[in-house]
Amino acid sequence: MSLLKILHYPDKRLHTVAKPVRVVDDRIRQLVADMTETMYDAPGVGLAATQVDVHERVVVIDVSEDKSDLRVLINPEILHYSDDKKTYEEGCLSVPGVYDEVDRPASIRVRALNLQGEPYEFDADGLLAVCVQHELDHLNGKVFVQHLSMLKQTRLKAKLRKEQRELERV
């Protein structure tokens, strides 16, 4: 296993729409292992392949306190969104240090493939529902800050570009 480099917003590659995985093979299983190690090291509760510049529909999630509930979602899709909404403060490994409230459906039904390429479904609410929706946004080329007002997005981009320029000078 190895740590992967996480892309940082506003990197244009974060807006690439991921393609479906054609076959779950050893290459995909290695990607999952590397993404899992990267997510835990960061530390985070979710990571989409898009964030590590691999544009295939692969997500790893673990919202447990003790890193005991790893979920692998290959070619995930949301089958159902609840009508009721919930607001959560979200952060993102691709937008370090930035947290803001995002309004999303409170519960969802998800279908994905596991590491053996077998389909499975589950219902999610709370933090897991937020995390799944957040990571699937990544697979669709969307970063959570795009849920914020245009004013907040503009300020954030300016701040991050300034920080990047300062880092490049060092």
Side-chain angles (χ1 to χ4, degrees), residues 118-132:
E118 302 161 339
Y120 72 103
E121 294 183 13
F122 64 95
D123 294 313
D125 59 13
L127 180 58
L128 180 58
V130 170
C131 193
V132 169

Side-chain angles (χ1 to χ4, degrees), residues 15-127:
H15 301 295
T16 304
V17 176
K19 296 188 180 340
V21 171
R22 293 195 190 281
V23 61
V24 180
D25 56 13
D26 287 343
R27 181 185 65 83
I28 293 298
R29 285 187 275 279
Q30 184 62 53
L31 173 63
V32 166
D34 293 344
M35 286 174 59
T36 301
E37 182 179 2
T38 301
M39 175 186 70
Y40 286 144
D41 182 72
V45 295
L47 187 67
T50 302
Q51 293 176 269
V52 294
D53 203 21
V54 176
H55 303 287
E56 295 181 86
R57 300 188 73 78
V58 178
V59 167
V60 294
I61 293 173
D62 189 342
V63 297
S64 69
E65 292 289 323
D66 61 354
K67 301 178 184 179
S68 65
D69 191 25
L70 178 67
R71 292 174 184 258
V72 175
L73 290 75
I74 299 169
N75 294 339
E77 59 182 312
I78 297 176
L79 302 174
H80 174 76
Y81 295 90
S82 66
D83 291 332
D84 53 317
K85 305 278 189 198
K86 185 87 174 165
T87 302
Y88 282 91
E89 184 175 76
E90 293 187 30
C92 181
L93 296 175
S94 290
V95 194
V98 175
Y99 301 89
D100 214 318
E101 292 186 341
V102 177
D103 196 38
R104 296 187 186 269
S107 61
I108 56 175
R109 177 121 186 111
V110 181
R111 178 187 304 143
L113 300 177
N114 63 20
L115 280 175
Q116 289 70 47
E118 302 161 339
Y120 72 103
E121 294 183 13
F122 64 95
D123 294 313
D125 59 13
L127 180 58

